[in-house]
Amino acid sequence: AVVSTQSGHYGRDTRKHLFSSIILSGGNTKINGLPEKLRNRLDEIVGKRHKGLNIKVVAPPERLYSPWIGGSIIGSLSCFMGKDLSREMYQECGPKAIHERCINPADSIQS
């Protein structure tokens, strides 16, 4: 339902591309039959409203590790350097540290 609800915010062409490349990642996506159930449910919900929409759900076998792989790639980019935080910084400031250090670096917490 979240996928179909959020797709309404986009135009027809963008929606077409979004639904043709839904990629599952993370441990919870390993639930037996989830990719098929998601695709069938989206066909029921979205297919009625948007005739001819090609819905494709991709569930790569390595999806359990995809978030870690993506995080390591992002972490190795030069634009991400200096935005990492130590455990101590997080424990001291909480989730606010992530926002200030990574999202709004102008307000960055000093190391």
Side-chain angles (χ1 to χ4, degrees), residues 37-50:
K37 288 177 186 175
L38 178 60
R39 184 182 184 322
N40 292 338
R41 187 68 179 132
L42 287 172
D43 272 340
E44 288 175 21
I45 297 171
V46 180
K48 291 178 183 176
R49 285 186 281 170
H50 308 285

Side-chain angles (χ1 to χ4, degrees), residues 79 82-83 97-110:
C79 62
K83 294 185 180 189
I98 296 169
H99 180 79
E100 290 180 354
R101 186 74 175 234
C102 301
I103 299 170
N104 193 0
D107 300 334
S108 183
I109 296 170
Q110 300 303 313

Side-chain angles (χ1 to χ4, degrees), residues 71 75 80-105 107-111:
F80 195 76
M81 298 301 166
K83 294 185 180 189
D84 54 332
L85 359 147
S86 66
R87 178 183 296 236
E88 293 77 24
M89 287 171 68
Y90 184 82
Q91 288 173 339
E92 181 181 323
C93 301
K96 176 177 128 181
I98 296 169
H99 180 79
E100 290 180 354
R101 186 74 175 234
C102 301
I103 299 170
N104 193 0
D107 300 334
S108 183
I109 296 170
Q110 300 303 313
S111 307

